[in-house]
């Protein structure tokens, strides 16, 4: 028996959610500065349409990010930039005088809302996934818990408490 492949799903709260390139992507976008960033979700336990209350809250928080989110988050991302700069000793990586300049080195990809059964069982969590000039191979992942950025690292490396 063949498994049915869904192309889209309608959610009463968030509208159309489409399956694009193996990601379930909301029709609505998060706004980061002057960038509109897609929001992608993995449904709980792989069940189409099964968003947990924590995932729903994480999506609401991503959609309601404050207009100054990039300024607020810049020091955390700059810390990752500086650690990487020192670690590889790259003299060509400029010393950034103002933390907000770190965003000039970043290209936003999407916001990812994971199944909360995998981790962070009690805290609404999402991750900003991006490409960054200082680590082209692994990119950048900024974790938001309860709507606040608390970790920035290379993709797959976050999760420290």
């Amino acid at each position: 028996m063949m498994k049915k492949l869904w192309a889209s799903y309608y959610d009463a709260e968030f509208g159309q959610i489409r399956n694009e390139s193996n990601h379930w992507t909301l029709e609505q976008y998060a706004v980061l500065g002057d960038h509109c960033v897609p929001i992608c979700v993995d449904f709980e336990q792989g069940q189409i349409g099964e968003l947990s209350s924590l995932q729903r809250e994480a999506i609401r928080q991503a959609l309601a990010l404050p207009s100054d989110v990039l300024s607020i988050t810049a020091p955390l991302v700059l810390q990752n930039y500086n650690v990487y700069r020192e670690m590889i000793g790259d003299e060509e990586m400029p010393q950034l005088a103002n933390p907000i300049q770190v965003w000039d080195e970043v290209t936003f990809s999407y916001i990812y809302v994971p199944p909360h059964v995998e981790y962070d069982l009690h805290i609404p969590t999402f991750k900003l996934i991006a490409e960054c000039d200082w680590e082209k191979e692994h990119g950048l992942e900024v974790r938001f818990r309860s709507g606040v950025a608390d970790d920035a690292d290379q993709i797959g490396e976050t999760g420290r408490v």
Side-chain angles (χ1 to χ4, degrees):
M1 186 168 163
M2 292 185 65
K3 193 175 186 179
K4 182 172 180 164
L5 299 176
W6 293 78
S8 69
Y9 170 79
Y10 181 81
D11 182 84
E13 182 176 5
F14 301 117
Q16 205 66 34
I17 302 175
R18 295 175 313 280
N19 190 346
E20 300 175 347
S21 305
N22 295 322
H23 287 105
W24 286 97
T25 305
L26 274 70
E27 195 170 59
Q28 300 180 54
Y29 289 85
V31 177
L32 298 167
D34 58 358
H35 303 278
C36 290
V37 181
I39 300 172
C40 300
V41 299
D42 275 341
F43 289 112
E44 293 288 347
Q45 299 154 2
Q47 299 297 311
I48 307 306
E50 294 294 325
L51 292 171
S52 71
S53 60
L54 285 171
Q55 282 183 301
R56 289 184 175 283
E57 184 57 30
I59 294 168
R60 286 184 208 109
Q61 291 170 358
L63 290 169
L65 287 168
S67 59
D68 61 349
V69 67
L70 295 180
S71 295
I72 294 167
T73 310
L76 186 66
V77 177
L78 180 62
Q79 180 182 6
N80 176 263
Y81 175 90
N82 286 333
V83 165
Y84 191 81
R85 183 176 178 267
E86 290 173 19
M87 183 176 69
I88 64 168
D90 190 343
E91 301 304 321
E92 293 185 23
M93 286 178 65
Q95 184 78 27
L96 302 177
N98 184 340
I100 197 73
Q101 290 175 314
V102 76
W103 293 117
D104 296 338
E105 311 293 323
V106 174
T107 303
F108 302 117
S109 297
Y110 57 92
I111 287 177
Y112 173 63
V113 180
H116 283 66
V117 294
E118 293 178 8
Y119 78 124
D120 280 337
L121 295 176
H122 307 291
I123 302 169
T125 301
F126 63 88
K127 297 176 182 183
L128 169 61
I129 307 296
E131 295 177 22
C132 61
D133 290 348
W134 64 92
E135 223 306 7
K136 294 183 189 297
E137 184 178 347
H138 296 109
L140 176 70
E141 179 177 287
V142 181
R143 182 182 67 190
F144 288 76
R145 296 173 77 198
S146 296
V148 177
D150 71 344
D151 193 27
D153 212 331
Q154 277 39 74
I155 293 174
E157 299 297 320
T158 58
R160 296 183 307 272
V161 178

